[in-house]
Amino acid sequence: MNTTVRENHREDVAGRANVEDTPELLAYYAELERHETGALWTVANKIEPWEPVSSSVPVLWRYEVLRPHVLRSVELVTPEKAGRRVIYLNNPGRRDVSAAVGWLYSGLQVMHPGEVASAHRHSASALRFIMEGAGAYTIVDGHKMTLGANDFVLTPNGTWHEHGVEASGTPCIWQDGLDIPLVNALEANFYAVHPKLQQEVGYPVDDMREAWGNPGLHPSNGPWSKGYSPLFKYEWGPTYEALGRYARATEGSPFDGVLMTYVNPATGGPVMQTIGASMQMLRPGERTKAHRHTGSFVYQVAKGRGHSVIAGRRFDWQERDIFCVPSWAWHEHANASASNDACLFTFNDLPVMQALGLYREEGYRDNDGHQRIEGT
Ligand code: GTQ
């Protein structure tokens, strides 16, 4: 973190709560507590910090460390018994809400060929980013999608969804991303199991890709008015191709390299109302400058290797590793290779920050835009 204490960040300035305890005041506070009340000045500086104070810490989850534990769950529980056979990422600062960072949940789900996780729906929005294996599929409200490595698929809030791996496939692992902690914090989470446990496939396989995946062209059979993208699946092939094309047309962002946002083709807006996602390319040798912004981010390394400096600590990553950037934490990224690009997938709560008018961003001004590294 930037440790410079700015003048107006001190607590002993006029206008900030600065009341010293006396026996009389302590007795008064105790009395207030008996009436389910409190004196604002005892909590004001905590509940109105000068700037966001995240209880999440930056974490890197190494895939080579997690993978054997994820695979072991296959021997221990069935998807039928477990509902979802998932090892979730538990941020040390967010254990109380099972969050990977901020109000976002993340987990690694594993399925063997022929296995199916039953259909359900919930108020939380979900996405999957495929990490390994062949033959995985997801069904969303009757639309079946085939999934391969680095494909990104949505299961928006309220939609019936189930996952499986075809009998002809191989063991599959993917990352689940959900806004469960956020929806629980808002006390708005409903959950239901499909009455038949499995839903029927009601459309040609991958029909939403065929209908909505055509650049510059929309189906003409009426508008899409739901709050999420009809293009439920974003495949790796066209995504990587788009990054390559955009890289030829842009200098890129000093903070993010070549960054593209997955959008709802019907609106140009985020893929879901509460969760946004993007893919960024760090060109060979690229090292970005540090910035920080509101919003919590879960990253997955889709390609290559490199490192990120987050809140002054260096995290070295390689393909499939997952790491998080808490809200308002300084962060910068570097590609370790001078000849190959590196790609980072992220999902985040930016749509919430933007919709609520809470988005804020700033660049790191000292040291030519790079943090001083205080740890690894
Ligand atoms: O597949 O909808 O990892 O409901 C956790 C909760 C996945 C899912 C998770 C879920 C799901």
Side-chain angles (χ1 to χ4, degrees):
M1 282 287 174
N2 183 2
T3 48
T4 337
V5 177
R6 281 178 248 157
E7 265 313 282
N8 66 350
H9 278 209
R10 289 168 20 221
E11 301 300 355
D12 61 345
V13 292
R16 264 323 227 187
N18 189 15
V19 179
E20 270 159 43
D21 286 346
T22 62
E24 192 181 18
L25 276 171
L26 290 173
Y28 174 59
Y29 299 152
E31 181 62 29
L32 288 177
E33 207 173 310
R34 276 193 286 279
H35 301 288
E36 321 304 348
T37 56
L40 173 63
W41 62 88
T42 62
V43 295
N45 298 342
K46 177 164 172 258
I47 68 170
E48 295 189 293
W50 294 108
E51 56 185 38
V53 179
S54 182
S55 57
S56 305
V57 296
V59 181
L60 170 75
W61 290 272
R62 282 184 207 292
Y63 192 53
E64 64 181 20
V65 172
L66 289 191
R67 188 173 181 275
H69 297 293
V70 172
L71 291 174
R72 177 140 156 72
S73 70
V74 177
E75 297 157 26
L76 299 174
V77 292
T78 61
E80 290 79 21
K81 283 264 187 188
R84 295 283 188 267
R85 191 168 50 209
V86 178
I87 304 308
Y88 69 98
L89 308 182
N90 209 359
N91 192 293
R94 303 294 285 159
R95 291 209 174 104
D96 49 338
V97 290
S98 305
V101 61
W103 298 105
L104 296 173
Y105 160 101
S106 167
L108 299 186
Q109 184 159 175
V110 55
M111 291 194 85
H112 266 208
E115 287 184 334
V116 190
S118 58
H120 69 194
R121 68 178 178 193
H122 36 65
S123 315
S125 290
L127 60 87
R128 261 140 271 287
F129 191 80
I130 311 303
M131 300 176 77
E132 64 170 277
Y137 65 85
T138 285
I139 308 172
V140 176
D141 279 347
H143 300 276
K144 179 171 178 174
M145 285 155 285
T146 55
L147 301 170
N150 284 355
D151 286 353
F152 160 52
V153 64
L154 311 178
T155 57
N157 67 341
T159 58
W160 292 113
H161 57 280
E162 69 214 73
H163 321 294
V165 173
E166 308 287 0
S168 58
T170 63
C172 290
I173 300 179
W174 58 81
Q175 180 182 201
D176 291 329
L178 292 96
D179 57 6
I180 291 172
L182 174 69
V183 178
N184 286 340
L186 296 172
E187 301 176 347
N189 211 357
F190 292 90
Y191 186 101
V193 173
H194 194 279
K196 292 196 207 143
L197 287 182
Q198 242 66 70
Q199 56 178 323
E200 319 248 309
V201 177
Y203 310 89
V205 172
D206 286 324
D207 69 310
M208 292 308 244
R209 176 192 65 194
E210 310 302 19
W212 287 97
N214 305 300
L217 291 162
H218 284 185
S220 57
N221 65 344
W224 174 266
S225 55
K226 297 190 172 146
Y228 49 82
S229 167
L231 183 60
F232 294 136
K233 175 174 66 162
Y234 298 75
E235 294 176 353
W236 169 238
T239 303
Y240 186 63
E241 208 181 299
L243 283 169
R245 256 187 287 156
Y246 182 40
R248 292 196 288 276
T250 181
E251 286 177 14
S253 146
F255 306 115
D256 284 306
V258 179
L259 173 69
M260 297 187 95
T261 306
Y262 294 98
V263 295
N264 174 343
T267 63
V271 290
M272 295 186 282
Q273 283 160 305
T274 50
I275 308 182
S278 58
M279 182 74 82
Q280 73 194 90
M281 177 188 277
L282 302 171
R283 291 157 290 193
E286 181 156 16
R287 178 190 181 205
T288 68
K289 296 195 173 203
H291 74 157
R292 62 179 175 183
H293 41 70
T294 50
S296 302
F297 284 66
V298 177
Y299 286 73
Q300 175 165 156
V301 184
K303 182 172 183 289
R305 60 196 178 80
H307 74 262
S308 299
V309 183
I310 308 163
R313 287 177 62 204
R314 174 172 167 150
F315 297 87
D316 285 84
W317 40 253
Q318 58 183 358
E319 222 161 280
R320 305 274 80 98
D321 288 350
I322 297 172
F323 60 93
C324 68
V325 175
S327 186
W328 208 236
W330 295 111
H331 56 283
E332 59 194 276
H333 311 293
N335 180 353
S337 171
S339 44
N340 295 311
D341 55 65
C343 294
L344 301 174
F345 168 79
T346 73
F347 70 91
N348 55 66
D349 56 6
L350 276 186
V352 178
M353 294 298 147
Q354 276 153 349
L356 302 184
L358 298 173
Y359 186 72
R360 214 153 125 174
E361 177 180 4
E362 69 181 29
Y364 193 85
R365 281 188 218 90
D366 304 340
N367 199 30
D368 195 31
H370 296 292
Q371 300 159 79
R372 289 185 180 78
I373 296 174
E374 288 152 19
T376 50

